[in-house]
């Protein structure tokens, strides 16, 4: 079957379509969050749905270093097809928060090397790489805590979160909250750590959204669980 521009399959065609989707207002919003593209994510997902899974195209789009193209690559790739070192390199290349977060959540978590990468990244001297290790650890706290030293994680959070760089601090705070939410035996200590460190206490939270301040976050989520 002949390929058409209605179903773009080359990098040039896809980049041209992404350029058409560029929206200055979307870029303005994204830039405030550290992202450097202007494509509405709903439209990006619609394009990914039309393209369907194309692993080789995903790899080529990633190599462009264009943030919108990389987000699209994440959506059309096969997460289990990447080797460990390939994912390690990709994480270090992921310059913006959204590309970083999507890569961890949509690709690495579904990859057979996720646990090996979690351990390596957790101890990485680069705080952005380390934040990925913490994100994967938070996922395990919620879904597969067996074998994790939760008290030890709280020790690290208590000692390091207050002065950690922003993205690492955010990831550690999420882990703190998740431990408090999921593990009743550690809840009082998790809330106490949050109250003493005051991390994200004044974070602007829209109406009907839960504050990322750990004591509030933990209490709110536990209350919701009890209401079910």
């Amino acid at each position: 079957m002949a390929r058409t521009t209605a179903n773009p399959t080359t990098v040039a065609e896809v980049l041209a379509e992404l350029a058409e989707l560029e929206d200055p207002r979307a870029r303005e919003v994204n830039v405030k969050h550290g992202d450097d593209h202007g494509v509405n994510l709903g439209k990006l997902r619609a394009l990914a749905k039309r393209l369907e899974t194309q692993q080789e195209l995903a790899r080529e789009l990633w190599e462009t270093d264009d943030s919108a193209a990389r987000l699209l690559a994440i959506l059309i790739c096969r997460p289990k097809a990447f080797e460990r070192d390939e994912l390690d390199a990709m994480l270090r290349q992921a310059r913006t928060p959204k590309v970083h977060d999507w890569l961890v959540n949509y690709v690495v978590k579904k990859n057979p090397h996720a646990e090996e990468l979690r351990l390596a990244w957790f101890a990485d001297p680069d705080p952005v790489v380390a934040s990925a290790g913490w994100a994967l650890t938070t996922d395990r706290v919620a879904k597969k805590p067996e074998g994790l030293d939760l008290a030890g994680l709280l020790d690290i959070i208590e000692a390091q979160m207050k002065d950690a760089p922003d993205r690492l601090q955010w990831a550690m705070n999420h882990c703190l909250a998740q431990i408090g939410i999921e593990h009743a035996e550690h809840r009082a200590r998790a809330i106490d750590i949050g109250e003493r460190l005051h991390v994200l206490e004044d974070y602007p939270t829209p109406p009907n959204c839960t504050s990322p301040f750990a004591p509030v976050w933990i209490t709110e989520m536990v209350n919701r669980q009890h209401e079910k």
Side-chain angles (χ1 to χ4, degrees):
M1 177 183 285
R3 301 200 183 276
T4 69
T5 53
N7 181 23
T9 54
T10 71
V11 171
E13 288 170 331
V14 174
L15 290 178
E17 187 152 357
L18 288 172
E20 290 177 9
L21 293 175
E22 175 75 21
D23 179 348
R25 287 170 298 181
R27 178 174 287 275
E28 185 179 348
V29 171
N30 290 335
V31 166
K32 290 178 181 177
H33 296 99
D35 297 310
D36 59 356
H37 72 90
V39 179
N40 176 279
L41 295 181
K43 293 180 179 179
L44 190 77
R45 290 181 187 279
L47 174 57
K49 186 175 181 180
R50 180 154 51 82
L51 287 170
E52 299 181 334
T53 302
Q54 298 190 51
Q55 179 67 9
E56 193 51 46
L57 178 60
R59 281 196 166 100
E60 292 173 4
L61 287 170
W62 183 271
E63 290 301 320
T64 66
D65 194 30
D66 176 86
S67 290
R70 284 184 164 178
L71 292 172
L72 184 62
I74 289 166
L75 294 176
I76 67 170
C77 75
R78 286 196 300 274
K80 294 179 181 178
F82 293 102
E83 296 298 328
R84 178 209 179 281
D85 289 349
E86 193 173 10
L87 287 175
D88 182 71
M90 290 169 71
L91 185 85
R92 295 171 193 281
Q93 295 162 0
R95 298 175 290 99
T96 66
K98 185 67 71 177
V99 172
H100 174 102
D101 290 346
W102 279 23
L103 180 66
V104 172
N105 287 299
Y106 297 167
V107 182
V108 179
K109 285 182 181 179
K110 300 175 182 177
N111 184 275
H113 301 289
E115 179 62 13
E116 186 182 350
L117 288 167
R118 181 187 77 83
L119 293 169
W121 291 341
F122 189 88
D124 199 278
D126 183 330
V128 174
V129 175
S131 74
W134 277 92
L136 293 172
T137 300
T138 301
D139 192 56
R140 271 203 59 188
V141 166
K143 298 176 182 176
K144 192 181 177 183
E146 297 78 19
L148 288 179
D149 178 5
L150 298 179
L153 288 172
L154 291 175
D155 289 343
I156 297 171
I157 292 167
E158 188 171 22
Q160 300 179 16
M161 182 172 75
K162 180 77 172 178
D163 299 316
D166 286 351
R167 284 163 72 177
L168 178 56
Q169 184 185 69
W170 186 274
M172 295 173 86
N173 183 72
H174 191 178
C175 190
L176 173 66
Q178 204 70 54
I179 291 172
I181 292 164
E182 300 289 345
H183 302 279
E185 69 274 21
H186 296 287
R187 187 168 298 148
R189 186 183 175 202
I191 290 173
D192 178 65
I193 290 171
E195 288 175 341
R196 284 187 289 104
L197 298 186
H198 304 288
V199 169
L200 299 175
E201 183 175 25
D202 299 321
Y203 191 84
T205 305
N208 301 318
C209 292
T210 302
S211 168
F213 180 47
V216 174
W217 189 355
I218 293 167
T219 302
E220 173 70 21
M221 297 309 293
V222 171
N223 287 342
R224 288 188 199 178
Q225 290 172 359
H226 289 163
E227 289 168 3
K228 289 183 180 178

